């Protein structure tokens, strides 16, 4: 059997990695009940009643209700409703919805929603504590006082906030610690013990036992020799172009990716000097 030089094997490419940016909203809502509306009315333009602070998306918020309106130009014609950032923030981006609840049970709530316009205008940005989003002309006061939104001198305002957050979605890494590879040691023991060997090489009268699948996986020369249709039935192959020490070193490298410890004695033999290009290219592979 003649062993021909093989082209160096290319190093395996690192597997591709992936990541994904996920932008979504952290949503929450708060219902603000205002009892004694008739007493609050007349407190003055620009004066407000504030809800208790509530937390959504890691920030505190509050609802501001202006019974006589926020804008002096409207002359108390409208009530105003706003949502205010009640904690320190740096460019907090959010979507909002303010709803005046219908207390008649008909479900005809008055809704002002930024969620519906988000695709066109994007989230609203609040840059500091006290920044607000809402409506100066939320509802005409004369209509409010004769509507189903006012019951027993009580109003109910619901506010929904969707704080925009972004994160990087990474694959979950395997939490099991993977030990360092020792496959070469195991295959070396397989060669040394000859367990399960199914092919024998006669090299100048010296016998070497090996495994067809290991040889075929590591060398196209052996794969062709052993699995070409005829070679599958071979149990012994005669090698007459390599010295036993060189062939032993070759087998050792195929199984372990290393030269044997006595490599100096191997490299001094005439057989390796005569086949240095073949052996060198296998080592580089």
């Amino acid at each position: 059997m003649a062993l021909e030089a093989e082209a160096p094997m290319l190093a395996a490419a690192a597997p591709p990695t992936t990541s994904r940016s996920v932008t979504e909203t952290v949503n929450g809502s708060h219902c603000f009940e205002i009892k004694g509306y008739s007493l609050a009315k007349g407190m003055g333009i620009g004066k407000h009643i504030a809800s208790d602070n509530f937390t959504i998306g890691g920030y505190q918020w509050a609802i501001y209700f202006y019974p006589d309106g926020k804008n002096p130009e409207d002359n108390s014609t409208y009530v105003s409703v706003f949502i205010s950032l009640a904690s320190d923030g740096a460019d907090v981006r959010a979507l909002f919805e303010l709803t005046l609840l219908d207390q008649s049970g008909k479900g005809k709530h008055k809704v002002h929603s930024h969620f519906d316009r988000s695709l066109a205008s994007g989230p609203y940005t609040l840059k500091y504590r006290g920044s607000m989003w809402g409506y100066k002309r939320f509802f005409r006061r004369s209509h409010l006082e004769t509507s189903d939104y006012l019951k027993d001198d009580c109003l109910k305002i619901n506010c929904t906030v969707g704080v925009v957050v972004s994160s990087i979605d990474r694959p979950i890494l395997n939490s099991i610690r993977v030990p360092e590879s020792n496959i070469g040691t195991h295959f070396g023991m397989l060669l040394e013990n000859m367990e399960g060997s199914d092919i024998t090489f006669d090299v100048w009268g010296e016998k070497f036992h090996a495994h067809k699948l290991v040889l075929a996986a590591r060398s196209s020369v052996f794969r062709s020799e052993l699995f070409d249709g005829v070679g599958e039935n071979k149990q012994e192959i005669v090698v007459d172009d390599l010295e036993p020490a060189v062939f032993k070193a070759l087998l050792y490298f195929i199984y372990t990716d290393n030269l044997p410890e006595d490599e100096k004695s191997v490299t001094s033999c005439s057989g390796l000097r005569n086949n240095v290009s073949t052996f060198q290219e296998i080592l580089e592979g």
Side-chain angles (χ1 to χ4, degrees), residues 122-178:
Y124 192 81
T125 300
L126 295 95
K127 296 182 177 294
Y128 51 87
R129 181 198 296 263
S131 298
M132 294 190 292
W133 177 90
Y135 294 88
K136 293 179 180 179
R137 298 183 176 186
F138 185 76
F139 201 68
R140 188 178 290 271
R141 197 166 72 172
S142 59
H143 293 171
L144 172 65
E145 293 173 358
T146 58
S147 71
D148 290 331
Y149 304 116
L150 183 63
K151 182 179 180 181
D152 298 330
D153 205 26
C154 175
L155 292 173
K156 292 182 179 180
I157 301 172
N158 191 78
C159 176
T160 299
V161 179
V163 178
V164 178
V165 296
S166 296
S167 62
I168 297 297
D169 185 11
R170 298 179 178 88
I172 299 176
L173 299 179
N174 195 338
S175 60
I176 300 175
R177 187 183 68 84
V178 179

Side-chain angles (χ1 to χ4, degrees), residues 2-158:
L3 296 178
E4 299 178 359
E6 296 186 60
M9 300 171 63
L10 295 176
T17 59
T18 63
S19 63
R20 180 177 61 173
S21 173
V22 179
T23 301
E24 55 191 354
T25 57
V26 177
N27 299 332
S29 61
H30 181 82
C31 185
F32 181 31
E33 184 174 341
I34 303 167
K35 299 192 66 122
Y37 164 79
S38 61
L39 298 176
K41 183 175 63 172
M43 65 188 306
I45 297 173
K47 302 290 183 67
H48 67 268
I49 300 172
S51 72
D52 193 12
N53 290 354
F54 53 94
T55 302
I56 297 175
Y59 297 93
Q60 287 197 317
W61 308 87
I63 301 171
Y64 283 12
F65 176 70
Y66 297 80
D68 297 319
K70 190 174 187 295
N71 190 351
E73 297 176 359
D74 292 329
N75 195 24
S76 301
T77 304
Y78 296 89
V79 297
S80 304
V81 182
F82 285 82
I83 173 70
S84 174
L85 179 63
S87 62
D88 293 328
D91 292 345
V92 181
R93 301 174 67 238
L95 303 175
F96 305 100
E97 183 174 274
L98 290 168
T99 304
L100 189 58
L101 299 179
D102 178 4
Q103 299 187 69
S104 68
K106 300 175 184 177
K108 295 182 179 180
H109 311 300
K110 183 171 181 60
V111 180
H112 293 276
S113 179
H114 191 209
F115 284 82
D116 297 337
R117 305 196 310 271
S118 62
L119 289 178
S121 60
Y124 192 81
T125 300
L126 295 95
K127 296 182 177 294
Y128 51 87
R129 181 198 296 263
S131 298
M132 294 190 292
W133 177 90
Y135 294 88
K136 293 179 180 179
R137 298 183 176 186
F138 185 76
F139 201 68
R140 188 178 290 271
R141 197 166 72 172
S142 59
H143 293 171
L144 172 65
E145 293 173 358
T146 58
S147 71
D148 290 331
Y149 304 116
L150 183 63
K151 182 179 180 181
D152 298 330
D153 205 26
C154 175
L155 292 173
K156 292 182 179 180
I157 301 172
N158 191 78

Side-chain angles (χ1 to χ4, degrees), residues 211-220 222-223 226-227:
H211 306 80
K212 291 182 180 179
L213 286 178
V214 175
L215 300 176
R218 296 279 283 161
S219 168
S220 60
F222 282 120
R223 184 166 59 249
L226 298 172
F227 294 101

